[in-house]
Amino acid sequence: MTEGISRRRMLGIGAGLGAVTVGGLALSAGWARRPAATGAELRSEVPLPEAFSVPLPIPPVLAPVESTAEGDRYEIAQREVEAEILPGFSTRLWTYEGSFPGPTIESRRGVQTTVLHRNELPVPTVVHLHGGRTPAASDGYPTDLVLPGEWSEHSGHVGHGMADDRAVVTNVQREYGFPLDQRATMLWYHDHRMDFTAPAVWRGLAGMHFVRDDVEDALGLPGGDHEVPLMIADRAFDADGQLAYPSLDPTLTGEPGVEKPYLAGVLGDVVLVNGAPWPAHEVDTGLYRLRVLNASNARHYELEAVTDGGEILPLVQIGADQGLLAAPVRHDRLPIAPAERYDLLVDFGGLPIGSRVRLSNRLGTGRTADVMRFDVVREGTSAAVPETLADDLPEWDRSEAAVVRDLAFRAGRLDWDGSVGAMIRDFDPDKHHGWLIDGLPFDPGRADVTARFGDVEVWRLIADVHHPVHVHLVGFRILSRGGGEPLPHDAGLKDTVSLRPGESAEIITRFDGYRGRYLFHCHNAEHEDMGMMANLEIV
Ligand code: C2O
Ligand code: CU
Ligand code: CU
């Protein structure tokens, strides 16, 4: 570890988190009821469209440039474009292949998917396939930068001031290889650059990636236009109709971090679904499969589908982050934290033509209480929800655990001791706070958890405020929450667990697939950028 890393890291975190922490803890009872309060909400400065006046876009499916016995090859250019998000305004976006969300990739289980990403943006980028069982070299480690063309000559200091001898930096482009030998599910790809993930994703660097398999096919679930991907993300717009974000350095090349009021997370006042504000989508009276992703930086939602007659339509959950459940779970409302995905069936059968079903957000206030609307416009054919789904869920038992670890996700002063002595030489406890895991901010040079390949481990996670905790490479089961049983939406195989204020949860997994350096972190993207990330070495 070098002093350069930690000094810059601590300064980057900046002053002011103390107030948030104190306020957060003081308010934690209130936050438990209103968990959307992680962060401050930006207010848009342009007139916003009427809800449900814009049609729901469906992101294009990317065609491979080559399909052979070895697998499918794709190419994605990361580039800036202008797009109409709010009607009548042109908004500059950072995109994968010109669209936000980026193009959807469709893969079969076990068929190698190779994606050549070309960086035409003005900053370095890193691509991570969230939820992918990916070899470490393609997992998008935050210092494995792809430099824009103009940066290539000064590759001497490309590590962002972070000395990381293991970083593999490439110029202009990089090929990411995804074996995708994993259960069918919805993954998503997004930027993961050191210190600047949150603003880069906010500008548009996120897309969906589906893995399909025979288990799923055998169920005959709704497909085609009856399977609808929904990427939910909040944003705010400035007086020119550009995306607003409180970066300390809007070029995203210098000082990382956000202005003080937003240190707990950045929230927008506009809810986008597939890049459209509060859209409407026409459906028939059939059964629909909704693939829902919360790609927001910090906003939590609690989804509810309500008819114009005030009737709640059940959200029948058939899958979690990492694929199908054993059996469907019916919810009247469903909380979704940043980075979580749900695979849902919703039956519009029995509703008269002309009915409208709002997907609303019970954690929102004012306009953020709405998400989108389904308009029932024609007769469809109904289908039944299968009674059982998948029988290949791993059933790890606590008794198998080689290690039980405690990991605390908390804001606070750096809790240093001799082992990190060098890094805190100039530490000023009145100024330097951060989002920390076990008292430490992220440092690429430190192995926080070293797990033996093949071992089952139990992790006991504890949080101060809301922290959606994500582990790379593996799926896990939730064993307990708050010392009791998991909640109904905790079923299945997960890669992100939403810890509520003051809450603990136990997760269990087996570290297999690949060896190497991976990450776990809070997926509140601002917390992640401001230190709440750690290394997972699988050896
Ligand atoms: Cu979706 Cu490490 O992230
Ligand atoms: Cu991930
Ligand atoms: Cu967090």
Side-chain angles (χ1 to χ4, degrees):
M1 172 182 328
T2 73
E3 202 179 343
I5 295 176
S6 25
R7 291 257 311 133
R8 194 208 44 79
R9 160 66 63 195
M10 288 190 289
L11 296 170
I13 287 164
L17 257 182
V20 174
T21 310
V22 172
L25 291 175
L27 286 169
S28 62
W31 283 22
R33 287 193 309 274
R34 296 228 72 87
T38 307
E41 187 172 285
L42 291 162
R43 297 280 162 185
S44 293
E45 293 168 349
V46 281
L48 299 173
E50 288 286 304
F52 322 128
S53 59
V54 175
L56 175 77
I58 303 293
V61 173
L62 191 64
V65 292
E66 192 180 22
S67 265
T68 66
E70 273 79 69
D72 298 329
R73 245 188 102 73
Y74 295 87
E75 288 178 10
I76 290 181
Q78 304 171 355
R79 58 173 195 262
E80 192 171 286
V81 300
E82 303 261 341
E84 184 172 310
I85 292 187
L86 299 179
F89 289 93
S90 163
T91 301
R92 216 172 308 118
L93 299 170
W94 284 2
T95 69
Y96 292 116
E97 204 56 29
S99 69
F100 170 61
T104 299
I105 300 183
E106 288 275 352
S107 295
R108 284 303 293 184
R109 174 173 189 159
V111 175
Q112 177 78 18
T113 297
T114 306
V115 187
L116 180 73
H117 277 271
R118 214 186 136 73
N119 181 5
E120 297 170 6
L121 294 167
V123 300
T125 61
V126 172
V127 182
H128 170 59
L129 179 58
H130 180 122
R133 301 271 279 160
T134 307
S138 285
D139 197 49
Y141 194 81
T143 50
D144 286 349
L145 305 173
V146 181
L147 303 179
E150 320 78 71
W151 284 51
S152 309
E153 52 275 23
H154 28 232
S155 26
H157 67 287
V158 293
H160 275 202
M162 311 283 288
D164 178 15
D165 348 340
R166 294 166 74 183
V168 178
V169 174
T170 61
N171 292 329
V172 186
Q173 62 184 36
R174 181 175 182 126
E175 193 172 273
Y176 294 86
F178 305 111
L180 297 173
D181 187 10
Q182 60 186 103
R183 310 176 77 232
T185 191
M186 177 211 246
L187 309 175
W188 63 300
Y189 60 102
H190 61 76
D191 196 67
H192 214 305
R193 174 167 62 120
M194 187 77 199
D195 296 333
F196 294 99
T197 293
V201 171
W202 186 271
R203 287 180 192 204
L205 292 179
M208 294 174 274
H209 188 150
F210 289 91
V211 183
R212 310 287 184 181
D213 70 5
D214 300 343
V215 178
E216 177 188 61
D217 289 352
L219 291 170
L221 296 167
D225 64 0
H226 283 61
E227 182 186 29
V228 187
L230 300 175
M231 178 195 279
I232 304 174
D234 59 336
R235 295 291 185 269
F237 296 83
D238 70 14
D240 300 320
Q242 299 303 329
L243 290 170
Y245 189 88
S247 286
L248 294 178
D249 172 7
T251 70
L252 310 189
T253 55
E255 183 75 359
V258 292
E259 290 161 20
K260 261 192 212 177
Y262 304 94
L263 290 170
V266 177
L267 305 174
D269 61 352
V270 178
V271 179
L272 303 178
V273 185
N274 296 346
W278 303 286
H281 188 58
E282 295 189 346
V283 294
D284 63 27
T285 56
L287 183 69
Y288 278 76
R289 184 178 186 192
L290 307 180
R291 313 297 299 266
V292 186
L293 157 67
N294 180 0
S296 307
N297 283 23
R299 186 178 289 281
H300 293 247
Y301 303 78
E302 189 177 39
L303 302 175
E304 185 178 68
V306 196
T307 66
D308 39 10
E311 186 199 331
I312 291 180
L313 276 195
L315 302 169
V316 180
Q317 187 192 351
I318 58 168
D321 305 328
Q322 289 283 318
L324 292 168
L325 307 182
V329 180
R330 217 183 115 113
H331 305 276
D332 282 340
R333 23 185 110 111
L334 192 52
I336 184 165
E340 284 189 302
R341 285 93 68 212
Y342 289 113
D343 193 349
L344 304 177
L345 295 179
V346 174
D347 191 356
F348 297 105
L351 294 177
I353 307 286
S355 302
R356 299 168 156 190
V357 178
R358 268 168 200 248
L359 190 62
S360 54
N361 167 26
R362 293 181 47 94
L363 300 178
T365 50
R367 302 212 55 189
T368 60
D370 279 322
V371 177
M372 66 173 290
R373 195 177 70 190
F374 296 96
D375 296 341
V376 181
V377 296
R378 57 185 163 264
E379 257 353 292
T381 43
S382 62
V385 174
E387 270 162 43
T388 59
L389 299 162
D391 59 5
D392 62 340
L393 278 156
E395 297 287 352
W396 302 296
D397 189 82
R398 225 177 249 290
S399 63
E400 292 172 75
V403 186
V404 177
R405 300 180 197 272
D406 287 298
L407 294 159
F409 289 74
R410 291 199 179 101
R413 287 186 11 204
L414 294 173
D415 175 23
W416 76 86
D417 58 30
S419 62
V420 288
M423 74 186 271
I424 47 78
R425 195 163 300 137
D426 300 311
F427 179 65
D428 176 349
D430 292 330
K431 282 208 207 123
H432 303 136
H433 300 262
W435 291 107
L436 311 173
I437 300 178
D438 271 359
L440 295 173
F442 180 58
D443 178 348
R446 181 183 66 230
D448 298 281
V449 165
T450 303
R452 279 209 330 256
F453 186 88
D455 271 2
V456 172
E457 296 202 1
V458 170
W459 288 11
R460 300 196 296 217
L461 312 171
I462 177 138
D464 54 357
V465 295
H466 249 100
H467 297 297
V469 175
H470 167 51
V471 185
H472 283 217
L473 181 69
V474 291
F476 54 78
R477 307 290 306 258
I478 298 175
L479 285 177
S480 73
R481 195 188 261 277
E485 288 298 307
L487 293 169
H489 64 271
D490 291 333
L493 197 60
K494 300 275 296 165
D495 56 46
T496 304
V497 55
S498 176
L499 300 176
R500 297 177 298 183
E503 195 177 51
S504 63
E506 289 176 300
I507 61 172
I508 187 166
T509 190
R510 182 191 301 280
F511 291 101
D512 58 9
Y514 305 97
R515 292 180 165 81
R517 181 169 64 160
Y518 291 91
L519 295 167
F520 62 99
H521 58 89
C522 177
H523 221 293
N524 172 313
E526 282 76 28
H527 295 188
E528 171 185 346
D529 277 349
M530 289 181 279
M532 197 169 257
M533 182 152 70
N535 288 299
L536 162 64
E537 289 275 358
I538 301 169
V539 296

